[in-house]
Each structure stands twice: as structure tokens, then as C-alpha cells.
Amino acid sequence: MRLLVLGGTSFLSRQIAHDAVTRGHDVVCAARGRSGSVPEGARLLALDRDEPGAVDVLAGERFDAVVDVATGALGWVLDALAVLADRVEHWTFVSSINAYADTGTPGQTTKAPLCEPVLDTQHLALSDLTVERYGGTKVASENAVRERMGPDRSFVVRPGIISGPGDEMDRFGYWTARFARGGQAIVPDTPHQPIQHIDVRDLAAWIVTACEQRLAGTYDAVGPVLELGAVLREASELVGAADLRLVPFSPEVLVEAGVNPWGGPRSLPLWLPADKHGLVAHDPRPALAAGLRPRSLADTVRSAFADEQARGLDRPRAAGLTPAEEREVLHRTVPEPDGGDHSGRN
Ligand SMILES: NC(=O)c1ccc[n+]([C@@H]2O[C@H](COP(=O)([O-])OP(=O)(O)OC[C@H]3O[C@@H](n4cnc5c(N)ncnc54)[C@H](OP(=O)(O)O)[C@@H]3O)[C@@H](O)[C@H]2O)c1
């Protein structure tokens, strides 16, 4: 198979290129080459999709399959389709669970209502995207792929949390690094919060298989619904230091202390307010029936931790609490020597 990956230099798209090369396919990655290198055996076609006409260089090429991970950039998707759609058999678009309008209801399927499509073609960087614009641009991009390629040649996947090695957003890996450091680790006191993740290697493997088998349709690319408390407990048991103690903090106390949910700076990653629990509790069965094979949580935890060790456990992270922030939150809430508990902590 001749595969074009629009991306291929970071996380998911790089893993897709890696898997496809490993399976013996001829892989071209079109990217600037700034986020990283392409995997060994793949060819980098250096281009900047922000430059008008950048993808025209592909006009003479034929591919069996294309995978696009464009984010916040309907214009990129339209440009690529205009140049390639007639000479490609199968098109994968990596969308997001944020395509859905309802973030609160668990058990949703691909029949659930979507965000309003955002038809503005201007590219916005991830850091400048509101969640509405992110989701709406994904919806508009999905529609463009289905309209141009037709339903039988389009494969659209909507992941929630992508976990495993190489995650630049640091949400899943934060916990492994934090538990390895030991001592008192703040965790959200929301043990029954649903959580869903898909390991980057399992998602990539499924996408490459979909390209090979011309699998079409739209799927929520999610693993089974787990409970956050059990996920954090298992991770702490697998990689935690001997003196690690999990200190649960109620959502109210965390909010008061300026700790953010989900991800980004000063956060407890993966923790979500109740009105967002639907985002991490979609129905995984259609994707599982279509061949998605999520590995064990233990495998993902161990691999994410090995990746954290390789990148440096003390490095600055895109998500989580720094050691100083965690100490500050702990100190302002731990019981005072007078015996009074001023924390409000559960
Ligand atoms: N991470 C998650 O938990 C999560 C959750 C839900 C959905 N998703 C979706 O999953 C996908 C993840 O993709 P990914 O892991 O490959 O990461 P990504 O950061 O979305 O990939 C970006 C790729 O696009 C390339 N790129 C960026 N700017 C470019 C430009 N101006 N011109 C050409 N290429 C450019 C980058 O290469 P260069 O910088 O080298 O050009 C890189 O290879 C995205 O669609 C994301 O929305 C992710």
C-alpha cells in the first residue's frame, strides 16, 4: 500500500507512519518536520500547510490511502481533498470526541448531536482554539471528507484521551511520573468518575488496518469505560514509589485552590467536572466490533512511564501540578498543629 500521512512527525500520526512502515507499506509523511522526525523507513515531504498551494506538490502523486490529523484547520483539509481526492482510494480523518455537542450524557454513540460546524477556513493553533471552535472545525472537516470522498471511502475516528508513549499533552503520563516521585500525591476525590482512553499504539494499528481493508464509517475511537479512582490506583501500584500516599481532595477544595480539571498548567489531569463526564463515557462497542483492540491498562501505564523516564521525570510538563504547586496546595489545606482540620477535604 502507498500511504500518505498528513503529519507523521509527532505522537499519533508518527505512530501510524511507524506501524505502516513496519507492515511493509510505502509511507510518505507531509509535514514541516518541526515537531520531530518521521519514523525510519518513511519519507518526509517537507511542506507547510499554512502556505497557499503547499499541497499542490502532491498533485502528480497517487496513494492508496491518506490519513489526515488536521486540527483547527478546515482550509488544510479542503486543500488536501482538492488536490488528492480523485487519486486516493481511502481517506482517514482523525477527529475528536469534542465533535459532540453534549458533554454530559454518558453512553452516547455516533448518532448523538454534533457541534455546529465551523466553516471558517482560517487555521488557528491549538493554543488559540476554544473547545467550541476545536469541535466545530472537526465537524466541518469530517463533513468535507465524507462529501468529497463519499461514505464508502471515508473513515472518521473520534478519539477522547489518547494515552501511551509520546504524548506531548502530558495528561496520562503525568500520573505515572507523579506516582514514581512518591510522598503525598494529590488525587481528585472522584473515584467513580468515568474515564476512557485509547493507547496511541492501538489507535494507530486500527487506522492502518482500516486503510488496508478500506474500512469506512464514523467511530468513537475509545476504549472501555473505566473509573478514574481505579485507574489511578492501578497506576500507583504499578509505578509508585514505596513512600507514595494518595491524598484525595474534593473537587470543591481543588477549585478553590485554583487547580484546573482535565489538563494544562496547574491541573489534575483526567479529572473532569460532572457536566463533562459524557466526554469520557462514549459507547466503545461499535469501534471494538470494527476491530479496535485496546491493550491492558497495565501495559499503557508501564509504557507511558518508560516514556516519562526517557524524557526525564523532572522535566517541565504541559499538564499537572508542579512539585511546588502541589506543596502549596497541600500546605494550605493540611490539618493545622492545633488539631483543627481547615482543609474542607473529604
Ligand atoms: N492527544 C489527544 O489526546 C487527542 C484527543 C482527541 C483527538 N486528538 C486528535 O488526534 C490527532 C493527533 O495527531 P498527532 O498526534 O499527529 O498530533 P498533532 O500535534 O495533531 O499532529 C500534528 C502533525 O501535523 C503537522 N503539522 C503541524 N503544523 C503543520 C503545518 N503548518 N504544515 C504541515 N504540517 C503541519 C506536524 O508536523 P510538523 O510540526 O513537523 O510540521 C505533526 O506531524 C489530532 O487530529 C488531534 O486533534 C488527539
Side-chain angles (χ1 to χ4, degrees):
M1 175 172 74
R2 188 139 199 269
L3 174 68
L4 172 67
V5 179
L6 294 166
T9 57
S10 69
F11 199 37
L12 175 62
S13 54
R14 189 176 198 281
Q15 185 69 39
I16 291 167
H18 168 81
D19 267 35
V21 168
T22 306
R23 295 191 202 181
H25 300 305
D26 177 11
V27 180
V28 177
C29 301
R32 296 166 305 177
R34 279 193 208 162
S35 302
S37 60
V38 299
E40 202 181 323
R43 178 163 68 88
L44 173 67
L45 183 66
L47 55 82
D48 185 341
R49 296 175 86 180
D50 275 331
E51 286 176 5
V55 286
D56 291 353
V57 66
L58 292 160
E61 307 251 8
R62 273 188 179 276
F63 295 96
D64 297 295
V66 168
V67 176
D68 192 1
V69 295
T71 297
L74 175 62
W76 289 9
V77 176
L78 294 173
D79 288 351
L81 286 164
V83 170
L84 289 161
D86 290 336
R87 282 169 296 105
V88 168
E89 297 302 318
H90 185 265
W91 199 289
T92 297
F93 180 70
V94 180
S95 181
S96 165
I97 216 74
N98 288 104
Y100 291 100
D102 176 353
T103 60
T105 307
Q108 292 181 67
T109 68
T110 51
K111 294 188 177 67
L114 298 174
C115 301
E116 274 304 305
V118 172
L119 299 174
D120 182 355
T121 55
Q122 191 202 347
H123 173 220
L124 290 188
L126 196 55
S127 51
D128 298 329
L129 281 172
T130 60
V131 72
E132 291 78 19
R133 171 119 184 185
Y134 175 71
T137 305
K138 286 291 193 189
V139 172
S141 302
E142 292 184 5
N143 291 343
V145 171
R146 282 190 215 96
E147 278 160 22
R148 190 64 183 79
M149 293 298 294
D152 297 341
R153 297 193 300 153
S154 313
F155 181 58
V156 173
V157 292
R158 298 178 181 144
I161 284 267
I162 305 177
S163 57
D167 176 15
E168 300 288 333
M169 298 180 96
D170 290 331
R171 289 182 294 214
F172 196 93
Y174 165 80
W175 289 109
T176 66
R178 176 61 197 92
F179 293 152
R181 203 168 79 233
Q184 293 188 73
I186 299 178
V187 295
D189 192 7
T190 55
H192 301 302
Q193 180 203 305
I195 191 72
Q196 243 171 345
H197 72 103
I198 188 69
D199 191 295
V200 63
R201 295 162 294 176
D202 301 330
L203 180 53
W206 187 43
I207 288 172
V208 175
T209 300
C211 296
E212 291 170 340
Q213 299 180 353
R214 309 282 193 265
L215 178 62
T218 300
Y219 293 90
D220 294 336
V222 293
V225 182
L226 309 171
E227 288 193 334
L228 183 59
V231 168
L232 296 184
R233 194 170 56 249
E234 185 166 342
S236 70
E237 286 165 4
L238 285 166
V239 301
D243 69 339
L244 174 69
R245 188 162 73 81
L246 306 192
V247 186
F249 271 55
S250 74
E252 296 74 25
V253 173
L254 290 171
V255 168
E256 201 183 299
V259 177
N260 298 305
W262 194 234
R266 200 180 166 91
S267 68
L268 285 187
L270 311 186
W271 161 50
L272 275 172
D275 64 345
K276 300 274 194 312
H277 286 185
L279 274 176
V280 285
H282 274 248
D283 184 351
R285 289 172 298 184
L288 301 179
L292 179 63
R293 294 283 170 269
R295 68 193 58 218
S296 68
L297 176 64
D299 186 327
T300 298
V301 167
R302 287 200 184 92
S303 306
F305 182 53
D307 183 52
E308 288 289 335
Q309 287 175 303
R311 290 156 76 191
L313 291 179
D314 295 330
R315 73 185 163 88
R317 287 195 169 68
L321 295 176
T322 64
E325 286 167 344
E326 190 173 50
R327 271 195 306 276
E328 173 222 312
V329 177
L330 278 166
H331 282 157
R332 68 151 96 168
T333 54
V334 290
E336 296 292 318
D338 65 6
D341 180 353
H342 306 286
S343 69
R345 194 173 65 218
N346 292 330

